Structure formats: structure tokens, C-alpha cells
Amino acid sequence: MNRDEILDWLLETDPVRLEELWERADAVREAHVGMAVHLRGLIEIGNHCVRKCAYCGIAACAPGMERYRLAFQDIIDCAVRGQAFGFGTVVMQSGEDPGITREFMVDVIRTIKRRTGMAITLSLGERREEDLRAWKEAGADRYLLRFETTDPELYRTIHPSLPGTALSDRLQQLLLMREIGFEIGTGVMVGIPGQTWATLATDIWTFRDFDMDMIGIGPFILSPGTPLDGELGEQLRREAGTGQVPSDELTTLKALALTRLLCPDTNIPSTTALATLDPGAGRANGLKVGANVVMPNLTPPKYRVLYRIYPGKAGLQETADITRDKIEAQIHALGRSIGRGPGGRGRANMVGID
Ligand code: SAH
């Protein structure tokens, strides 16, 4: 499939043709990554952030936010709980926060590895090479960093570089992470103001071009008080005109299914943003059209509510065991199994338990 064909599929509205897309994506998922759905326990380790991303509710410029960082022992306790739940991977995510130091994370990573043996994924934003190398050496396995958009001008607008630093280049960062030895994960939001159909087609093409190991795709959800909630959002939408991609479930599912067709053996989550947009069926719908991963939240509820990158996040008030039970029931209802082991990219992915 070339870029023009991706674009045609994104614009497809015929339900019969779309049914064909869903079926093809599901068949490719089954053939290449099997029936197992891998669970990655998410720990939101802090919401301090130095960036001013125009889409994000915890950006440095977000007014009146109560900020937190989880204590060392809180993080370890969350990871141990994830292991007791049978999760093979723990994902630690935060705002871009120099207050989360290299040394602190080295300690956390070493301790989680020693106590649980779980695979460790980091999603801590753009960090210095020395940090990345130290964390890899301490035992981290994977890094998630969405490139957000392939349109360079839109990227600069919605993801300003830090003052006094080189231009932010997340694709470059991802290549560095791969060279250091991480499995690399990336992704985009669907329907950010200023995103055109042609840009989204290029985004999907780029996942394949860079042979990404993990790809997260969720709908853009407007975060009140962010720049995209105001004049900037209006302006970007006006400029995109009829080319503007909607931030709806159908478009997200098309992007997900096409990504599965182009990247048959990659790990693709059914995202929390999709479950937020459609609390009833979003997560299952993602799993039906190509996704093979879900990321249940392990963050204590008290802190979950403060990690507000967008409003109404699915599972906000739940404890971790409730979230886990709900997700496992959804997976079984689809006739799929729960993944066992670390579930990295490759044949080990096929293994599951009922
Ligand atoms: N600070 C880290 C983690 C950010 S949160 C980083 O920048 O990589 C993880 C992802 O959430 C982001 O990459 C972005 O794609 C997504 N996100 C942020 N704000 C969002 C919003 N309003 N709607 C939907 N997704 C959002």
C-alpha cells in the first residue's frame, strides 16, 4: 500500500468497504501477533512539566494545576501490584520533568527489575542522551515518544522547543533510542487542529518507514484552557479548511486498522483516549481492528485525577484491580486471551493464557 492508497482509505465512507478494512486488519493482526492481548501496567509517576505543548492539559502553562511526583516506594508498590496482576510490562510516564533525575530513575528501574523481572517501558518525554543510556543500562527495555505529527510547521506550533535549546526533533530522538538499544514506540493523535488527511496519511506511512516497534494512536481530546482550546485552535482549523481531520472514533479506527496493515508485527495499543471518547465500546473496537495491547492504569486514584492530559480520562476514579478486571472481561468477551511474559516485538507475542 502506498501513501495515496492510505489517503483513499482514510477518506472512505462506504460501510461495505470499511467492513473489508476492519476484517483485513483483524486478519493481519491474528496472523502476525496472534490472539494474545498484552497488558502493560501504566504508572503516571508525575505531572510536573517544562514543555508548553498546545494540546496537553499538564503543560507548563496549564493554570492552577496541583503538581505531584510519586515517591520511590509508591512507584515500586505500583509495579509490584502490576506483577501480582500478571502484567508482563510496566510503563512509567510523566510530564517532561528534570526534577525526575537520572539517578532517581536508575534506582527505580534497577529495583523494579530486581524485584519483578518485568519489562520496563519509559515515557518521560525528550531526555538527554546520558539519561537514556543510563536508563537502558539500568534495565529499561522500551521507550515511548510520539512524534505527534510529520508536518514540521504544525509540530513547531503545537510542540514548541524549549527556549535556548536545539529544535525538538522526536524522530531523531527515536533513532537515537533505537541505537542505544531500546525498542521504540511512537504515535500520533487523530484530529489535532491543523492536521489534514494528507498529513495523517504521511504519519501512518512514517510508522512503516521507520519500522516502529510500538505505535499508539488515539483521538485528540480538547483539553480546556490549553492554547488549542482558544484562538490558536480556531486558526489552525481555518487554515486546514476542508482538509481538517475530525477527532472522532471512526477516523481513529481507520488510522489504527491501516497502521496494522502497514506494520503487521508491531505492538499496537487500543488507547485510553479511544476508551474515553467511547466508554462503552471504544477499547473493544480498537482490539477488533488491529490492536493487540491494552494499558491498564496502576496509578493510585489520588494521583490519577491530577494526571489530566485531557478531561474525562477513562477509569479516573477506579482502583487498579477494578480497571484490571474490567479490561480482562472485555478481552475474554472478544474471544481473545491475556498475553503472558514481556510481550516485546516478535514471536514471543503469540503466547497467551485463557
Ligand atoms: N511527556 C511525555 C508523555 C506525554 S502524554 C511525552 O511528551 O512524551 C502521552 C501522549 O498523550 C502524548 O504523546 C500525546 O500524544 C497524548 N496527548 C496529550 N494531550 C492529549 C489530548 N489533549 N488528547 C489526546 N491525547 C493527548
Side-chain angles (χ1 to χ4, degrees), residues 314-332:
L316 213 56
Q317 307 289 354
E318 292 165 8
T319 50
D321 52 336
I322 303 267
T323 310
R324 192 271 316 253
D325 288 351
K326 263 182 25 189
I327 291 175
E328 291 199 356
Q330 284 171 341
I331 292 168
H332 285 133

Side-chain angles (χ1 to χ4, degrees), residues 88-110:
T89 299
V90 73
V91 181
M92 288 179 274
Q93 191 176 85
S94 71
E96 211 166 293
D97 176 15
I100 297 176
T101 63
R102 182 191 311 164
E103 296 73 26
F104 177 80
M105 283 312 296
V106 163
D107 263 1
V108 167
I109 293 164
R110 282 214 185 106

